[in-house]
Amino acid sequence: HALSGGEQQRVALARAIAPRPSMLLMDEPFSGLDKRLRDHVREETMAIIRETRATCIIVTHDPEEAMRMGDRIALMRHGRLLQVGTARQLYEKPVDLYAARFFSELNEFEATVKNGRAETAIGTFSAHGHADGAQVAVGVRPQGVGFAIAGDGVPGRIVGHQFLGEVDLLSVAIDGSDRPVRVRTRDNVVPFTVGSTVWLTADPRDVLVFAKESE
């Protein structure tokens, strides 16, 4: 009763690991800890599990935790397996828009494929594997949106700015999109002033194209 919630959680983890089991099932074991303590306890726990060579199945709703801890990740939706693979495989080649959304924030656009390409408000991208005339959903990761010199790229107006320490998070309104484009950047050359005009480009490596699904 004298222990804090975080201390109780650490004791529970220690009791589970102490018998050196061959298999462990953990259901969101670090959810009750603050971020700094969670990172520390998670690293300690994984080091012990690897030392004992135990198989560990961890349930989590935190995509970063899954990517940091899992040798293999099984993504589930409505009680069914959607995709299984390494963190890199699921991040770089998600099977559908749901999988892509789970591992990264997305700027989403609708488009119709024409001549093998999808034209969106932020640019035109390859739609390889999709037939001409097909309706597609295009997702652009915020970290894949960059800035160009005036006159190049897509013009936009900064409508929101948050400094997050490692990056700046911007909201940029552009023509043809009902929602502002989210941009995560370390580019401190551009003055991030709300109301100022910027020119946006998108890195094709951070663009994902999927068949449009009925919600």
Side-chain angles (χ1 to χ4, degrees):
H1 69 279
L3 299 180
S4 68
E7 289 170 335
Q8 291 179 27
Q9 189 113 355
R10 296 180 80 176
V11 170
L13 286 169
R15 291 178 65 186
I17 294 170
R20 302 277 176 150
S22 60
M23 181 175 291
L24 279 169
L25 172 60
M26 297 184 175
D27 187 1
E28 300 197 58
F30 311 107
S31 59
L33 308 179
D34 64 70
K35 187 179 187 309
R36 182 171 297 179
L37 182 58
R38 181 168 66 244
D39 291 344
H40 179 67
V41 175
R42 184 166 51 200
E43 289 176 6
E44 285 185 340
T45 303
M46 292 307 298
I48 294 171
I49 291 172
R50 289 194 173 96
E51 180 185 337
T52 60
R53 302 183 67 83
T55 297
C56 188
I57 300 174
I58 299 174
V59 180
T60 179
H61 290 86
D62 184 341
E64 180 181 341
E65 184 167 86
M67 297 176 78
R68 290 181 63 170
M69 299 188 70
D71 298 317
R72 296 178 74 218
I73 299 172
L75 179 63
M76 300 187 71
R77 184 183 189 188
H78 301 319
R80 295 179 179 272
L81 279 175
L82 181 65
Q83 187 174 3
V84 180
T86 65
R88 183 177 294 276
Q89 289 170 337
L90 269 65
Y91 181 83
E92 294 183 349
K93 297 181 179 180
V95 294
D96 62 14
L97 189 58
Y98 175 86
R101 286 171 177 161
F102 185 80
F103 290 101
S104 176
E105 181 183 1
L106 294 175
N107 295 295
E108 297 180 27
F109 306 90
E110 296 182 359
T112 302
V113 178
K114 183 178 181 181
N115 297 324
R117 299 184 68 79
E119 183 177 349
T120 72
I122 200 173
T124 303
F125 310 102
S126 171
H128 179 71
H130 300 275
D132 282 1
Q135 299 294 308
V136 293
V138 180
V140 183
R141 294 188 176 108
Q143 61 269 29
V145 182
F147 298 99
I149 61 174
D152 290 340
V154 175
R157 179 172 56 87
I158 296 177
V159 294
H161 174 215
Q162 294 172 294
F163 176 67
L164 303 182
E166 295 182 355
V167 297
D168 288 90
L169 179 60
L170 305 174
S171 296
V172 182
I174 61 173
D175 289 340
S177 177
D178 295 334
R179 291 176 291 182
V181 174
R182 304 278 281 177
V183 184
R184 285 181 175 268
T185 181
R186 291 184 175 181
D187 185 353
N188 55 13
V189 176
V190 179
F192 300 135
T193 304
V194 174
S196 62
T197 299
V198 292
W199 298 79
L200 302 180
T201 61
D203 188 335
R205 293 175 298 181
D206 284 302
V207 176
L208 301 164
V209 181
F210 303 100
K212 186 179 177 182
E213 300 178 356
S214 57
E215 295 291 342

